[in-house]
């Protein structure tokens, strides 16, 4: 009987010892600090710019080349021959040329205007008026009172160097003036004095 009790006591003691070892191991496992994850190093932005942006050192786009020899209006120079030239006006309120150069060897110069449109003079009349550029607005404003019959040019306006008749579609007119009138301070312009046209139908005229 004593032997059985002793054996049972030893068995219990061994079982308790084993349980104690497992409990200690579990406590040891749960108390151990977790290994921190490796630090992620932030991406380094490219020099002169933010992450994900284009490299600031990349060359800028080269602007398209421009033709510096072309007239500012984009229209060609008038063709001059024998101290005269022919230009055209149309129903889109445009002259065919952007500038006229009068040869210095000429004593007089003639401008012929062809109206290549179809609209009548009352609706889309054109003429050619020559003056100093600074006088264009005043001549056109004061000429409104002259009406179609007066060619939208005030009678006796001494600011006007030359003025042709006002014509409609399909018609032609000419005006001749002394070249010496263009040899002052300038700059000089040719324009159409029809109301609303003079702001866009204009070009430069000079002696060369």
């Amino acid at each position: 009987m004593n032997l059985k009790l002793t054996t049972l006591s030893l068995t219990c003691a061994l079982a308790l010892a084993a349980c104690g070892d497992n409990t200690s191991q579990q406590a040891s496992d749960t108390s151990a600090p977790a290994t921190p994850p490796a630090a992620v190093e932030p991406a380094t932005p490219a020099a002169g710019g933010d992450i994900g942006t284009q490299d600031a050192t990349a060359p800028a786009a080269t602007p398209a080349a421009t033709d510096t020899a072309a007239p500012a209006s984009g229209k060609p120079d008038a063709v001059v021959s024998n101290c005269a030239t022919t230009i055209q006006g149309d129903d889109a309120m445009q002259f065919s040329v952007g500038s006229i150069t009068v040869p210095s060897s000429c004593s007089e110069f003639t401008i012929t205007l062809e109206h290549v449109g179809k609209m009548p003079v009352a609706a889309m009349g054109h003429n050619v008026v020559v003056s100093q550029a600074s006088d264009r607005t005043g001549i056109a404003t004061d000429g409104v009172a002259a009406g179609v019959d007066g060619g939208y040019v005030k009678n006796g306006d001494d600011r006007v160097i030359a003025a042709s008749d006002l014509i409609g579609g399909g018609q032609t007119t000419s005006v001749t003036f002394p070249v010496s009138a263009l040899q002052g301070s300038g700059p000089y312009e040719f324009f159409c004095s029809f109301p609303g046209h003079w702001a866009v139908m204009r070009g430069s005229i000079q002696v060369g």
Side-chain angles (χ1 to χ4, degrees):
M1 182 67 178
N2 291 335
L3 179 59
K4 289 182 180 181
L5 290 175
T6 301
T7 301
L8 182 60
S9 297
L10 288 174
T11 300
C12 291
L14 290 173
L16 290 174
C19 290
D21 288 342
N22 290 338
T23 304
S24 299
Q25 181 64 37
Q26 290 176 358
S28 175
D29 290 342
T30 56
S31 61
T35 303
V40 178
E41 193 170 325
T44 303
D50 295 331
I51 298 172
T53 60
Q54 186 178 0
D55 186 355
T57 61
T62 303
T66 56
D67 182 2
T68 56
S73 64
K75 297 177 182 177
D77 296 330
V79 176
V80 174
S81 178
N82 298 322
C83 297
T85 189
T86 298
I87 66 175
Q88 298 175 334
D90 58 25
D91 286 344
M93 295 193 308
Q94 295 292 324
F95 280 133
S96 59
V97 301
S99 63
I100 300 172
T101 300
V102 179
S104 58
S105 58
C106 298
S107 59
E108 290 186 329
F109 192 77
T110 299
I111 300 175
T112 297
L113 172 65
E114 298 176 346
H115 194 321
V116 297
K118 296 181 179 180
M119 298 179 70
V121 63
M124 188 59 68
H126 295 324
N127 62 2
V128 177
V129 179
V130 179
S131 73
Q132 287 193 347
S134 58
D135 289 332
R136 174 173 51 89
T137 301
I139 292 171
T141 301
D142 294 344
V144 172
V148 173
D149 293 339
Y152 291 110
V153 176
K154 185 177 73 172
N155 187 34
D157 192 334
D158 58 8
R159 296 169 294 184
V160 176
I161 295 173
S164 74
D165 292 336
L166 189 71
I167 58 174
Q171 296 181 311
T172 300
T173 186
S174 296
V175 61
T176 300
F177 56 93
V179 175
S180 59
L182 299 177
Q183 295 175 338
S185 58
Y188 298 94
E189 287 186 343
F190 64 94
F191 63 94
C192 173
S193 65
F194 194 97
H197 295 194
W198 55 269
V200 292
M201 289 189 73
R202 59 192 178 97
S204 63
I205 182 169
Q206 57 280 320
V207 178

